[in-house]
Amino acid sequence: MNWPWDNEKDDERFAETLNDGVSALSDRATLIRFLALSGGVVVLIWIAVLFAPTDVRSAFATIHGLNNKMSVAILAIVFGLGMWLTYCFFRLKFPTIEETDLESDVLGSYAYQASSNRRWLVWLFSAVGGIVNLLAMAVVTIALSGSTE
């Protein structure tokens, strides 16, 4: 059976696209633009959640009723925006976090490992930022919309 997620060629293309996006963020001007864009979209979503929580909830319920995959895609987009926004803030703090050049000195492998650990933590905290953003939006939408049906 050919599962849609078992396509190795698609996985390689996705990883290449992701690496290109991460590499583009090494340019500070691009990073600022991406930070403004993702931050602006997140702020717009939060404005919708805060000022029209009942409409947001009913729209999501309607989409979920029509197509379950579409509702998962919407949740993934909201998570992804929060994750990339958090990642952009970390890239401002640690601009060289994705550089993987091995130094040839005695402590080169130690420096690489320390950088690798920091990179892993940045991605972990970025994912946590996306999860917190998504959960906070869900909780606020449910709390402000009044009912739990």
Side-chain angles (χ1 to χ4, degrees):
M1 178 178 254
N2 188 10
W3 297 99
W5 55 82
D6 284 342
N7 194 345
E8 188 173 320
K9 192 179 285 187
D10 288 342
D11 292 344
E12 289 175 3
R13 270 190 257 130
F14 177 74
E16 184 177 312
T17 302
L18 184 64
N19 285 337
D20 290 344
V22 169
S23 296
L25 294 179
S26 63
D27 178 34
R28 191 162 178 85
T30 304
L31 178 63
I32 298 294
R33 274 189 237 115
F34 197 84
L35 185 64
L37 179 68
S38 59
V41 173
V42 168
V43 166
L44 288 175
I45 294 171
W46 269 104
I47 288 172
V49 165
L50 291 174
F51 291 113
T54 307
D55 295 336
V56 170
R57 187 172 180 175
S58 65
F60 186 77
T62 302
I63 290 171
H64 183 69
L66 294 175
N67 189 346
N68 195 12
K69 290 181 182 179
M70 183 63 107
S71 62
V72 171
I74 289 171
L75 292 175
I77 289 169
V78 172
F79 162 76
L81 284 168
M83 184 184 85
W84 280 104
L85 182 64
T86 309
Y87 180 76
C88 286
F89 281 123
F90 278 116
R91 277 303 287 261
L92 282 175
K93 176 73 175 159
F94 307 110
T96 60
I97 193 74
E98 295 294 336
E99 294 177 8
T100 57
D101 294 335
L102 285 175
E103 298 175 15
S104 60
D105 61 354
V106 175
L107 295 175
S109 63
Y110 174 76
Y112 177 78
Q113 181 183 2
S115 176
S116 178
N117 289 341
R118 191 177 308 119
R119 187 176 328 115
W120 186 84
L121 285 173
V122 164
W123 280 106
L124 176 70
F125 288 136
S126 297
V128 168
I131 291 169
V132 167
N133 183 51
L134 178 63
L135 289 177
M137 282 185 187
V139 167
V140 167
T141 301
I142 291 169
L144 293 179
S145 66
S147 67
T148 57
E149 295 177 24

